[in-house]
Amino acid sequence: MDISHIEHIGIAVKNLDESIEKYEKLFNIKCYAIEEVKDQKVKTAFFKIGQTKIELLEGTDPESAISKFIEKRGEGVQHIAFAVKNIDNVLDELKNKNVQLIDEKPRRGAEGLSIAFLHPKSTGGVLIELCENKND
Ligand code: ZN
């Protein structure tokens, strides 16, 4: 299994614009991309800290995973994303280890990455996302 680094940390926020401003002011970092991912019903904003990104996420629909997360637990860290090579192989390997997968097959995430989520039940209560940048 080829995991190279933490690709990003996903943080659920109620108001993307306010949170972007807060992060820019607090940490003196600049948001470099804002993107809506329609099939996940989220708007995302990205910051870079070294080779790891911070992904702020706001739900665009009460039914989005982000809106439901905030309703249950409030704003905060929602997922951790690992950068992997050969995401299909990684998913197969995890399936063989009886890890419960939210996505059996990779799909397109923000920034054009191939992504798949693992079920927190299998990972100690942490939502883990796998990401592969096929352009690397
Ligand atoms: Zn993510």
Side-chain angles (χ1 to χ4, degrees):
M1 193 171 305
D2 197 345
I3 299 175
S4 57
H5 61 280
I6 307 281
E7 215 281 335
H8 64 267
I9 295 171
I11 298 172
V13 302
K14 285 182 188 160
N15 183 308
L16 197 64
D17 293 334
E18 284 176 15
S19 298
I20 290 169
E21 211 183 307
K22 184 186 286 176
Y23 272 72
E24 288 187 336
K25 273 197 189 138
L26 286 178
F27 305 115
N28 216 10
I29 51 180
K30 193 98 196 103
C31 170
Y32 70 89
I34 295 174
E35 185 181 346
E36 184 168 355
V37 184
K38 287 233 162 85
D39 73 325
Q40 284 170 67
K41 303 184 176 81
V42 293
K43 251 176 25 189
T44 65
F46 285 95
F47 298 86
K48 229 173 225 162
I49 299 178
Q51 66 175 345
T52 302
K53 298 162 192 162
I54 298 290
E55 177 186 36
L56 302 180
L57 300 122
E58 178 193 331
T60 54
D61 185 289
E63 286 308 300
S64 84
I66 297 302
S67 306
K68 286 182 183 165
F69 177 91
I70 288 176
E71 202 175 293
K72 253 196 244 162
R73 306 212 235 171
E75 291 182 302
V77 172
Q78 196 257 350
H79 67 273
I80 295 175
F82 296 161
V84 302
K85 294 229 164 67
N86 300 314
I87 191 166
D88 296 276
N89 295 350
V90 175
L91 285 172
D92 283 345
E93 216 176 303
L94 290 169
K95 215 183 289 176
N96 289 336
K97 290 178 181 172
N98 293 318
V99 171
Q100 208 178 313
L101 307 176
I102 292 174
D103 301 299
E104 300 267 331
K105 290 268 164 251
R107 57 195 163 95
R108 194 197 162 280
E111 301 196 299
L113 302 179
S114 288
I115 66 157
F117 284 96
L118 314 181
H119 202 287
K121 269 185 196 154
S122 298
T123 52
V126 179
L127 179 60
I128 292 178
E129 175 184 358
L130 307 175
C131 298
E132 180 174 21
N133 187 346
K134 306 252 188 199
N135 304 315
D136 268 359

Short mmCIF file of all heavy atoms in Angstrom, two decimals, residues 52-120:
data_model
loop_
_atom_site.label_atom_id
_atom_site.label_comp_id
_atom_site.label_asym_id
_atom_site.label_seq_id
_atom_site.Cartn_x
_atom_site.Cartn_y
_atom_site.Cartn_z
N THR A 52 0.80 19.73 2.75
CA THR A 52 -0.55 19.34 3.19
C THR A 52 -1.48 20.53 3.03
O THR A 52 -1.09 21.67 3.21
CB THR A 52 -0.50 18.87 4.66
OG1 THR A 52 0.41 17.79 4.76
CG2 THR A 52 -1.87 18.43 5.15
N LYS A 53 -2.73 20.22 2.67
CA LYS A 53 -3.71 21.28 2.49
C LYS A 53 -4.73 21.26 3.61
O LYS A 53 -4.95 20.23 4.22
CB LYS A 53 -4.43 21.08 1.15
CG LYS A 53 -3.52 21.15 -0.04
CD LYS A 53 -4.20 20.52 -1.24
CE LYS A 53 -3.21 20.31 -2.36
NZ LYS A 53 -3.72 19.33 -3.33
N ILE A 54 -5.31 22.41 3.83
CA ILE A 54 -6.50 22.50 4.68
C ILE A 54 -7.67 22.71 3.72
O ILE A 54 -7.61 23.57 2.85
CB ILE A 54 -6.41 23.72 5.64
CG1 ILE A 54 -5.22 23.58 6.59
CG2 ILE A 54 -7.71 23.90 6.39
CD1 ILE A 54 -5.34 22.51 7.64
N GLU A 55 -8.68 21.87 3.85
CA GLU A 55 -9.87 21.97 3.01
C GLU A 55 -11.04 22.38 3.90
O GLU A 55 -11.45 21.61 4.77
CB GLU A 55 -10.17 20.60 2.35
CG GLU A 55 -11.43 20.57 1.52
CD GLU A 55 -11.77 19.17 0.99
OE1 GLU A 55 -11.54 18.18 1.70
OE2 GLU A 55 -12.28 19.08 -0.14
N LEU A 56 -11.54 23.59 3.71
CA LEU A 56 -12.73 24.01 4.43
C LEU A 56 -13.94 23.59 3.61
O LEU A 56 -13.94 23.74 2.38
CB LEU A 56 -12.74 25.53 4.64
CG LEU A 56 -11.55 26.15 5.39
CD1 LEU A 56 -11.74 27.67 5.50
CD2 LEU A 56 -11.38 25.53 6.77
N LEU A 57 -14.95 23.05 4.26
CA LEU A 57 -16.12 22.55 3.54
C LEU A 57 -17.40 23.13 4.13
O LEU A 57 -17.61 23.07 5.35
CB LEU A 57 -16.20 21.02 3.65
CG LEU A 57 -15.03 20.23 3.11
CD1 LEU A 57 -14.45 19.36 4.21
CD2 LEU A 57 -15.47 19.36 1.94
N GLU A 58 -18.24 23.67 3.25
CA GLU A 58 -19.57 24.13 3.65
C GLU A 58 -20.60 23.34 2.85
O GLU A 58 -20.47 23.19 1.63
CB GLU A 58 -19.73 25.63 3.35
CG GLU A 58 -21.10 26.18 3.70
CD GLU A 58 -21.38 27.57 3.13
OE1 GLU A 58 -20.43 28.36 2.95
OE2 GLU A 58 -22.56 27.85 2.87
N GLY A 59 -21.60 22.81 3.51
CA GLY A 59 -22.67 22.09 2.82
C GLY A 59 -23.52 23.06 2.02
O GLY A 59 -23.79 24.17 2.48
N THR A 60 -23.95 22.65 0.83
CA THR A 60 -24.82 23.52 0.03
C THR A 60 -26.25 23.02 0.09
O THR A 60 -27.13 23.53 -0.61
CB THR A 60 -24.36 23.55 -1.44
OG1 THR A 60 -24.29 22.21 -1.93
CG2 THR A 60 -23.00 24.21 -1.59
N ASP A 61 -26.49 22.00 0.89
CA ASP A 61 -27.81 21.37 0.99
C ASP A 61 -27.91 20.74 2.37
O ASP A 61 -26.92 20.19 2.86
CB ASP A 61 -27.90 20.29 -0.10
CG ASP A 61 -29.26 19.65 -0.18
OD1 ASP A 61 -29.62 18.89 0.74
OD2 ASP A 61 -29.97 19.90 -1.17
N PRO A 62 -29.09 20.82 3.02
CA PRO A 62 -29.21 20.23 4.36
C PRO A 62 -28.90 18.72 4.36
O PRO A 62 -28.58 18.16 5.40
CB PRO A 62 -30.68 20.48 4.73
CG PRO A 62 -31.21 21.45 3.75
CD PRO A 62 -30.30 21.49 2.57
N GLU A 63 -29.01 18.09 3.17
CA GLU A 63 -28.77 16.64 3.09
C GLU A 63 -27.30 16.28 2.86
O GLU A 63 -26.96 15.11 2.81
CB GLU A 63 -29.60 16.05 1.93
CG GLU A 63 -31.09 15.94 2.24
CD GLU A 63 -31.35 15.22 3.56
OE1 GLU A 63 -30.95 14.05 3.68
OE2 GLU A 63 -31.95 15.83 4.46
N SER A 64 -26.44 17.28 2.71
CA SER A 64 -25.04 16.96 2.47
C SER A 64 -24.40 16.41 3.74
O SER A 64 -24.83 16.71 4.86
CB SER A 64 -24.27 18.20 1.99
OG SER A 64 -23.87 18.97 3.09
N ALA A 65 -23.38 15.59 3.58
CA ALA A 65 -22.68 14.99 4.72
C ALA A 65 -22.14 16.07 5.66
O ALA A 65 -22.12 15.90 6.88
CB ALA A 65 -21.54 14.10 4.23
N ILE A 66 -21.72 17.20 5.08
CA ILE A 66 -21.16 18.28 5.89
C ILE A 66 -22.24 18.94 6.76
O ILE A 66 -22.04 19.16 7.95
CB ILE A 66 -20.49 19.34 4.98
CG1 ILE A 66 -19.30 18.72 4.22
CG2 ILE A 66 -20.04 20.56 5.78
CD1 ILE A 66 -18.21 18.13 5.08
N SER A 67 -23.39 19.20 6.16
CA SER A 67 -24.49 19.81 6.93
C SER A 67 -24.91 18.89 8.06
O SER A 67 -25.16 19.33 9.19
CB SER A 67 -25.68 20.10 6.02
OG SER A 67 -25.27 20.87 4.91
N LYS A 68 -24.99 17.58 7.77
CA LYS A 68 -25.40 16.62 8.80
C LYS A 68 -24.35 16.52 9.91
O LYS A 68 -24.69 16.40 11.08
CB LYS A 68 -25.62 15.23 8.17
CG LYS A 68 -26.91 15.15 7.36
CD LYS A 68 -27.06 13.75 6.83
CE LYS A 68 -28.28 13.63 5.94
NZ LYS A 68 -28.23 12.40 5.16
N PHE A 69 -23.08 16.56 9.50
CA PHE A 69 -21.98 16.51 10.48
C PHE A 69 -22.08 17.70 11.44
O PHE A 69 -22.01 17.54 12.66
CB PHE A 69 -20.64 16.53 9.74
CG PHE A 69 -19.43 16.55 10.64
CD1 PHE A 69 -18.83 15.37 11.05
CD2 PHE A 69 -18.88 17.76 11.07
CE1 PHE A 69 -17.71 15.39 11.89
CE2 PHE A 69 -17.76 17.78 11.90
CZ PHE A 69 -17.19 16.59 12.31
N ILE A 70 -22.29 18.90 10.89
CA ILE A 70 -22.35 20.10 11.72
C ILE A 70 -23.57 20.06 12.64
O ILE A 70 -23.49 20.43 13.81
CB ILE A 70 -22.36 21.36 10.83
CG1 ILE A 70 -20.96 21.56 10.23
CG2 ILE A 70 -22.77 22.60 11.64
CD1 ILE A 70 -20.84 22.70 9.26
N GLU A 71 -24.67 19.54 12.12
CA GLU A 71 -25.87 19.43 12.93
C GLU A 71 -25.62 18.54 14.15
O GLU A 71 -26.07 18.83 15.25
CB GLU A 71 -26.98 18.83 12.06
CG GLU A 71 -28.38 19.11 12.54
CD GLU A 71 -29.41 18.60 11.55
OE1 GLU A 71 -29.46 19.17 10.43
OE2 GLU A 71 -30.09 17.62 11.87
N LYS A 72 -24.89 17.44 13.93
CA LYS A 72 -24.64 16.48 15.00
C LYS A 72 -23.53 16.91 15.94
O LYS A 72 -23.62 16.78 17.14
CB LYS A 72 -24.23 15.13 14.39
CG LYS A 72 -25.34 14.07 14.49
CD LYS A 72 -24.77 12.69 14.22
CE LYS A 72 -25.38 12.11 12.95
NZ LYS A 72 -24.63 11.00 12.40
N ARG A 73 -22.43 17.43 15.37
CA ARG A 73 -21.23 17.64 16.19
C ARG A 73 -20.70 19.07 16.17
O ARG A 73 -19.72 19.37 16.85
CB ARG A 73 -20.10 16.74 15.68
CG ARG A 73 -20.51 15.27 15.60
CD ARG A 73 -19.33 14.40 15.86
NE ARG A 73 -19.09 13.45 14.80
CZ ARG A 73 -18.00 12.69 14.71
NH1 ARG A 73 -17.04 12.81 15.58
NH2 ARG A 73 -17.85 11.83 13.72
N GLY A 74 -21.32 19.91 15.39
CA GLY A 74 -20.82 21.28 15.28
C GLY A 74 -19.66 21.37 14.30
O GLY A 74 -19.24 20.36 13.73
N GLU A 75 -19.12 22.55 14.14
CA GLU A 75 -18.00 22.74 13.22
C GLU A 75 -16.76 22.00 13.74
O GLU A 75 -16.61 21.83 14.95
CB GLU A 75 -17.65 24.23 13.12
CG GLU A 75 -18.71 25.06 12.40
CD GLU A 75 -18.30 26.52 12.27
OE1 GLU A 75 -18.03 27.16 13.32
OE2 GLU A 75 -18.23 27.02 11.14
N GLY A 76 -15.89 21.59 12.84
CA GLY A 76 -14.64 20.97 13.29
C GLY A 76 -14.05 20.04 12.26
O GLY A 76 -14.55 19.95 11.12
N VAL A 77 -12.98 19.34 12.65
CA VAL A 77 -12.30 18.41 11.74
C VAL A 77 -13.30 17.31 11.35
O VAL A 77 -13.90 16.67 12.21
CB VAL A 77 -11.06 17.78 12.40
CG1 VAL A 77 -10.49 16.68 11.52
CG2 VAL A 77 -9.99 18.85 12.64
N GLN A 78 -13.47 17.12 10.04
CA GLN A 78 -14.47 16.15 9.56
C GLN A 78 -13.82 14.94 8.93
O GLN A 78 -14.33 13.84 9.02
CB GLN A 78 -15.40 16.87 8.57
CG GLN A 78 -16.70 16.13 8.28
CD GLN A 78 -16.69 15.44 6.92
OE1 GLN A 78 -15.79 15.64 6.10
NE2 GLN A 78 -17.70 14.61 6.69
N HIS A 79 -12.69 15.14 8.25
CA HIS A 79 -11.99 13.98 7.69
C HIS A 79 -10.51 14.26 7.49
O HIS A 79 -10.08 15.42 7.50
CB HIS A 79 -12.64 13.50 6.38
CG HIS A 79 -12.51 14.46 5.22
ND1 HIS A 79 -13.41 15.47 4.98
CD2 HIS A 79 -11.59 14.56 4.23
CE1 HIS A 79 -13.05 16.14 3.89
NE2 HIS A 79 -11.94 15.61 3.40
N ILE A 80 -9.75 13.17 7.32
CA ILE A 80 -8.32 13.24 7.03
C ILE A 80 -8.11 12.50 5.73
O ILE A 80 -8.67 11.42 5.53
CB ILE A 80 -7.49 12.61 8.17
CG1 ILE A 80 -7.68 13.44 9.45
CG2 ILE A 80 -6.01 12.52 7.80
CD1 ILE A 80 -7.01 12.86 10.66
N ALA A 81 -7.33 13.10 4.82
CA ALA A 81 -7.13 12.49 3.50
C ALA A 81 -5.69 12.06 3.32
O ALA A 81 -4.76 12.85 3.54
CB ALA A 81 -7.53 13.48 2.41
N PHE A 82 -5.51 10.81 2.92
CA PHE A 82 -4.20 10.26 2.63
C PHE A 82 -3.94 10.32 1.12
O PHE A 82 -4.82 9.97 0.33
CB PHE A 82 -4.11 8.79 3.03
CG PHE A 82 -4.26 8.51 4.50
CD1 PHE A 82 -4.59 7.24 4.94
CD2 PHE A 82 -4.03 9.50 5.44
CE1 PHE A 82 -4.72 6.97 6.30
CE2 PHE A 82 -4.14 9.23 6.80
CZ PHE A 82 -4.49 7.96 7.23
N ALA A 83 -2.76 10.76 0.74
CA ALA A 83 -2.35 10.69 -0.67
C ALA A 83 -1.85 9.28 -0.95
O ALA A 83 -0.97 8.79 -0.24
CB ALA A 83 -1.26 11.71 -0.96
N VAL A 84 -2.43 8.64 -1.95
CA VAL A 84 -2.03 7.26 -2.29
C VAL A 84 -1.70 7.15 -3.77
O VAL A 84 -2.07 8.01 -4.58
CB VAL A 84 -3.15 6.24 -1.96
CG1 VAL A 84 -3.53 6.32 -0.49
CG2 VAL A 84 -4.38 6.47 -2.84
N LYS A 85 -0.97 6.09 -4.09
CA LYS A 85 -0.76 5.73 -5.49
C LYS A 85 -1.62 4.50 -5.77
O LYS A 85 -1.81 3.66 -4.90
CB LYS A 85 0.71 5.40 -5.73
CG LYS A 85 1.61 6.61 -5.54
CD LYS A 85 2.58 6.80 -6.70
CE LYS A 85 3.16 8.20 -6.69
NZ LYS A 85 4.05 8.42 -5.52
N ASN A 86 -2.14 4.38 -6.99
CA ASN A 86 -2.97 3.23 -7.37
C ASN A 86 -4.16 3.04 -6.44
O ASN A 86 -4.28 2.02 -5.77
CB ASN A 86 -2.13 1.95 -7.42
CG ASN A 86 -1.00 2.06 -8.41
OD1 ASN A 86 -1.19 2.52 -9.53
ND2 ASN A 86 0.19 1.67 -8.00
N ILE A 87 -5.03 4.02 -6.42
CA ILE A 87 -6.16 4.00 -5.48
C ILE A 87 -7.01 2.73 -5.63
O ILE A 87 -7.51 2.20 -4.64
CB ILE A 87 -7.00 5.30 -5.64
CG1 ILE A 87 -8.01 5.43 -4.50
CG2 ILE A 87 -7.67 5.40 -6.99
CD1 ILE A 87 -8.64 6.81 -4.37
N ASP A 88 -7.15 2.21 -6.85
CA ASP A 88 -7.95 0.99 -7.05
C ASP A 88 -7.33 -0.18 -6.28
O ASP A 88 -8.05 -0.96 -5.64
CB ASP A 88 -8.06 0.64 -8.54
CG ASP A 88 -8.82 1.71 -9.30
OD1 ASP A 88 -10.07 1.65 -9.30
OD2 ASP A 88 -8.17 2.61 -9.87
N ASN A 89 -6.01 -0.29 -6.35
CA ASN A 89 -5.33 -1.37 -5.63
C ASN A 89 -5.46 -1.19 -4.12
O ASN A 89 -5.66 -2.17 -3.39
CB ASN A 89 -3.84 -1.40 -5.98
CG ASN A 89 -3.61 -1.74 -7.44
OD1 ASN A 89 -4.54 -2.13 -8.14
ND2 ASN A 89 -2.37 -1.59 -7.89
N VAL A 90 -5.35 0.06 -3.66
CA VAL A 90 -5.47 0.32 -2.22
C VAL A 90 -6.86 -0.09 -1.74
O VAL A 90 -7.01 -0.73 -0.70
CB VAL A 90 -5.18 1.81 -1.91
CG1 VAL A 90 -5.43 2.11 -0.44
CG2 VAL A 90 -3.75 2.16 -2.28
N LEU A 91 -7.89 0.26 -2.53
CA LEU A 91 -9.26 -0.10 -2.14
C LEU A 91 -9.43 -1.62 -2.09
O LEU A 91 -10.05 -2.15 -1.17
CB LEU A 91 -10.27 0.52 -3.12
CG LEU A 91 -10.51 2.03 -2.96
CD1 LEU A 91 -11.37 2.55 -4.11
CD2 LEU A 91 -11.17 2.35 -1.62
N ASP A 92 -8.85 -2.32 -3.08
CA ASP A 92 -8.92 -3.79 -3.09
C ASP A 92 -8.26 -4.37 -1.85
O ASP A 92 -8.78 -5.27 -1.21
CB ASP A 92 -8.23 -4.36 -4.33
CG ASP A 92 -9.11 -4.22 -5.58
OD1 ASP A 92 -10.33 -3.96 -5.40
OD2 ASP A 92 -8.58 -4.36 -6.69
N GLU A 93 -7.07 -3.80 -1.55
CA GLU A 93 -6.32 -4.30 -0.40
C GLU A 93 -7.11 -4.10 0.90
O GLU A 93 -7.16 -4.99 1.74
CB GLU A 93 -4.99 -3.53 -0.35
CG GLU A 93 -3.80 -4.36 0.11
CD GLU A 93 -2.51 -3.56 0.06
OE1 GLU A 93 -2.17 -3.05 -1.04
OE2 GLU A 93 -1.87 -3.42 1.10
N LEU A 94 -7.73 -2.93 1.04
CA LEU A 94 -8.50 -2.64 2.25
C LEU A 94 -9.74 -3.52 2.33
O LEU A 94 -10.13 -3.98 3.40
CB LEU A 94 -8.88 -1.16 2.29
CG LEU A 94 -7.70 -0.20 2.53
CD1 LEU A 94 -8.11 1.24 2.28
CD2 LEU A 94 -7.15 -0.36 3.95
N LYS A 95 -10.36 -3.76 1.16
CA LYS A 95 -11.53 -4.64 1.12
C LYS A 95 -11.16 -6.03 1.63
O LYS A 95 -11.89 -6.65 2.38
CB LYS A 95 -12.07 -4.71 -0.32
CG LYS A 95 -13.58 -4.80 -0.39
CD LYS A 95 -14.08 -4.94 -1.82
CE LYS A 95 -13.93 -3.67 -2.64
NZ LYS A 95 -14.32 -3.84 -4.05
N ASN A 96 -9.98 -6.49 1.20
CA ASN A 96 -9.50 -7.80 1.65
C ASN A 96 -9.22 -7.83 3.14
O ASN A 96 -9.21 -8.90 3.75
CB ASN A 96 -8.24 -8.21 0.88
CG ASN A 96 -8.56 -8.55 -0.56
OD1 ASN A 96 -9.69 -8.92 -0.89
ND2 ASN A 96 -7.57 -8.40 -1.44
N LYS A 97 -8.98 -6.64 3.71
CA LYS A 97 -8.77 -6.56 5.16
C LYS A 97 -10.09 -6.28 5.87
O LYS A 97 -10.10 -5.89 7.05
CB LYS A 97 -7.78 -5.44 5.49
CG LYS A 97 -6.36 -5.75 5.05
CD LYS A 97 -5.43 -4.57 5.35
CE LYS A 97 -4.03 -4.88 4.90
NZ LYS A 97 -3.15 -3.69 4.99
N ASN A 98 -11.20 -6.45 5.16
CA ASN A 98 -12.55 -6.25 5.71
C ASN A 98 -12.82 -4.84 6.20
O ASN A 98 -13.60 -4.64 7.12
CB ASN A 98 -12.82 -7.25 6.84
CG ASN A 98 -12.91 -8.67 6.32
OD1 ASN A 98 -13.51 -8.91 5.27
ND2 ASN A 98 -12.27 -9.59 7.01
N VAL A 99 -12.17 -3.87 5.59
CA VAL A 99 -12.48 -2.47 5.89
C VAL A 99 -13.77 -2.11 5.15
O VAL A 99 -13.93 -2.42 3.97
CB VAL A 99 -11.32 -1.54 5.44
CG1 VAL A 99 -11.72 -0.08 5.54
CG2 VAL A 99 -10.08 -1.82 6.28
N GLN A 100 -14.68 -1.49 5.89
CA GLN A 100 -15.93 -1.06 5.28
C GLN A 100 -15.68 0.20 4.44
O GLN A 100 -15.15 1.18 4.95
CB GLN A 100 -16.94 -0.76 6.38
CG GLN A 100 -18.38 -0.96 5.97
CD GLN A 100 -19.32 -0.68 7.13
OE1 GLN A 100 -19.10 -1.16 8.25
NE2 GLN A 100 -20.34 0.11 6.89
N LEU A 101 -16.05 0.14 3.17
CA LEU A 101 -15.80 1.26 2.27
C LEU A 101 -17.08 2.03 2.03
O LEU A 101 -18.15 1.45 1.85
CB LEU A 101 -15.27 0.75 0.93
CG LEU A 101 -14.05 -0.18 0.97
CD1 LEU A 101 -13.73 -0.67 -0.44
CD2 LEU A 101 -12.85 0.52 1.58
N ILE A 102 -16.99 3.35 2.04
CA ILE A 102 -18.14 4.17 1.63
C ILE A 102 -18.19 4.19 0.11
O ILE A 102 -19.25 4.08 -0.49
CB ILE A 102 -18.04 5.60 2.22
CG1 ILE A 102 -18.19 5.52 3.73
CG2 ILE A 102 -19.10 6.51 1.60
CD1 ILE A 102 -17.97 6.84 4.47
N ASP A 103 -17.02 4.30 -0.52
CA ASP A 103 -16.93 4.26 -1.98
C ASP A 103 -16.17 3.00 -2.41
O ASP A 103 -14.98 2.88 -2.14
CB ASP A 103 -16.17 5.48 -2.50
CG ASP A 103 -16.85 6.78 -2.11
OD1 ASP A 103 -18.01 6.98 -2.51
OD2 ASP A 103 -16.23 7.59 -1.39
N GLU A 104 -16.87 2.10 -3.06
CA GLU A 104 -16.22 0.87 -3.56
C GLU A 104 -15.28 1.20 -4.72
O GLU A 104 -14.28 0.54 -4.93
CB GLU A 104 -17.28 -0.12 -4.05
CG GLU A 104 -18.26 -0.55 -2.98
CD GLU A 104 -17.83 -1.83 -2.28
OE1 GLU A 104 -17.15 -2.65 -2.92
OE2 GLU A 104 -18.16 -1.99 -1.08
N LYS A 105 -15.68 2.23 -5.47
CA LYS A 105 -14.89 2.67 -6.64
C LYS A 105 -14.54 4.15 -6.44
O LYS A 105 -15.35 4.91 -5.91
CB LYS A 105 -15.72 2.54 -7.92
CG LYS A 105 -15.99 1.11 -8.33
CD LYS A 105 -14.92 0.62 -9.30
CE LYS A 105 -14.92 -0.89 -9.43
NZ LYS A 105 -13.79 -1.59 -8.82
N PRO A 106 -13.36 4.56 -6.91
CA PRO A 106 -13.01 5.98 -6.79
C PRO A 106 -13.95 6.86 -7.60
O PRO A 106 -14.49 6.43 -8.61
CB PRO A 106 -11.60 6.05 -7.36
CG PRO A 106 -11.16 4.67 -7.63
CD PRO A 106 -12.32 3.76 -7.56
N ARG A 107 -14.14 8.08 -7.12
CA ARG A 107 -14.91 9.06 -7.89
C ARG A 107 -14.13 10.36 -7.92
O ARG A 107 -13.10 10.49 -7.27
CB ARG A 107 -16.29 9.24 -7.29
CG ARG A 107 -16.29 9.66 -5.83
CD ARG A 107 -17.68 9.46 -5.22
NE ARG A 107 -17.65 9.45 -3.78
CZ ARG A 107 -17.89 10.53 -3.02
NH1 ARG A 107 -18.14 11.68 -3.58
NH2 ARG A 107 -17.86 10.45 -1.71
N ARG A 108 -14.66 11.36 -8.65
CA ARG A 108 -13.93 12.61 -8.81
C ARG A 108 -14.22 13.54 -7.65
O ARG A 108 -15.38 13.82 -7.34
CB ARG A 108 -14.36 13.28 -10.13
CG ARG A 108 -13.43 14.39 -10.54
CD ARG A 108 -14.09 15.28 -11.61
NE ARG A 108 -13.38 16.56 -11.68
CZ ARG A 108 -13.55 17.56 -10.83
NH1 ARG A 108 -14.44 17.48 -9.87
NH2 ARG A 108 -12.84 18.68 -10.94
N GLY A 109 -13.17 14.02 -7.01
CA GLY A 109 -13.32 14.98 -5.92
C GLY A 109 -12.85 16.35 -6.34
O GLY A 109 -12.58 16.59 -7.52
N ALA A 110 -12.72 17.25 -5.36
CA ALA A 110 -12.22 18.59 -5.64
C ALA A 110 -10.82 18.49 -6.23
O ALA A 110 -10.10 17.52 -5.99
CB ALA A 110 -12.21 19.43 -4.35
N GLU A 111 -10.44 19.47 -6.99
CA GLU A 111 -9.11 19.56 -7.64
C GLU A 111 -8.86 18.41 -8.61
O GLU A 111 -7.72 18.11 -8.94
CB GLU A 111 -7.99 19.61 -6.58
CG GLU A 111 -8.12 20.78 -5.62
CD GLU A 111 -6.85 21.07 -4.84
OE1 GLU A 111 -6.42 20.16 -4.11
OE2 GLU A 111 -6.30 22.17 -4.99
N GLY A 112 -9.92 17.76 -9.06
CA GLY A 112 -9.77 16.71 -10.07
C GLY A 112 -9.10 15.44 -9.57
O GLY A 112 -8.65 14.61 -10.35
N LEU A 113 -9.04 15.28 -8.24
CA LEU A 113 -8.42 14.07 -7.69
C LEU A 113 -9.40 12.91 -7.73
O LEU A 113 -10.61 13.09 -7.70
CB LEU A 113 -7.99 14.31 -6.24
CG LEU A 113 -7.01 15.45 -5.97
CD1 LEU A 113 -6.71 15.55 -4.48
CD2 LEU A 113 -5.72 15.26 -6.74
N SER A 114 -8.85 11.69 -7.81
CA SER A 114 -9.67 10.49 -7.62
C SER A 114 -9.73 10.23 -6.13
O SER A 114 -8.69 10.13 -5.48
CB SER A 114 -9.01 9.27 -8.29
OG SER A 114 -9.12 9.38 -9.66
N ILE A 115 -10.95 10.12 -5.62
CA ILE A 115 -11.10 9.99 -4.17
C ILE A 115 -12.01 8.83 -3.79
O ILE A 115 -12.84 8.39 -4.60
CB ILE A 115 -11.65 11.29 -3.53
CG1 ILE A 115 -13.10 11.54 -4.01
CG2 ILE A 115 -10.78 12.48 -3.85
CD1 ILE A 115 -13.88 12.41 -3.06
N ALA A 116 -11.86 8.34 -2.58
CA ALA A 116 -12.77 7.34 -2.02
C ALA A 116 -12.72 7.45 -0.51
O ALA A 116 -11.65 7.69 0.07
CB ALA A 116 -12.35 5.94 -2.47
N PHE A 117 -13.88 7.31 0.13
CA PHE A 117 -13.95 7.39 1.59
C PHE A 117 -14.08 6.01 2.21
O PHE A 117 -14.72 5.12 1.65
CB PHE A 117 -15.16 8.24 2.00
CG PHE A 117 -14.97 9.73 1.82
CD1 PHE A 117 -15.43 10.37 0.67
CD2 PHE A 117 -14.32 10.48 2.79
CE1 PHE A 117 -15.25 11.74 0.51
CE2 PHE A 117 -14.13 11.85 2.64
CZ PHE A 117 -14.60 12.48 1.49
N LEU A 118 -13.42 5.86 3.38
CA LEU A 118 -13.53 4.64 4.17
C LEU A 118 -14.52 4.90 5.30
O LEU A 118 -14.59 6.03 5.80
CB LEU A 118 -12.17 4.25 4.75
CG LEU A 118 -10.98 4.31 3.79
CD1 LEU A 118 -9.72 3.88 4.53
CD2 LEU A 118 -11.22 3.42 2.57
N HIS A 119 -15.23 3.88 5.73
CA HIS A 119 -16.22 4.08 6.79
C HIS A 119 -15.53 4.24 8.15
O HIS A 119 -14.67 3.44 8.49
CB HIS A 119 -17.21 2.93 6.84
CG HIS A 119 -18.48 3.34 7.52
ND1 HIS A 119 -18.55 3.54 8.88
CD2 HIS A 119 -19.70 3.63 7.03
CE1 HIS A 119 -19.78 3.92 9.19
NE2 HIS A 119 -20.49 3.99 8.09
N PRO A 120 -15.93 5.29 8.92
CA PRO A 120 -15.31 5.51 10.23
C PRO A 120 -15.43 4.30 11.17
O PRO A 120 -14.62 4.15 12.08
CB PRO A 120 -16.09 6.70 10.81
CG PRO A 120 -16.76 7.34 9.66
CD PRO A 120 -16.94 6.30 8.60
#
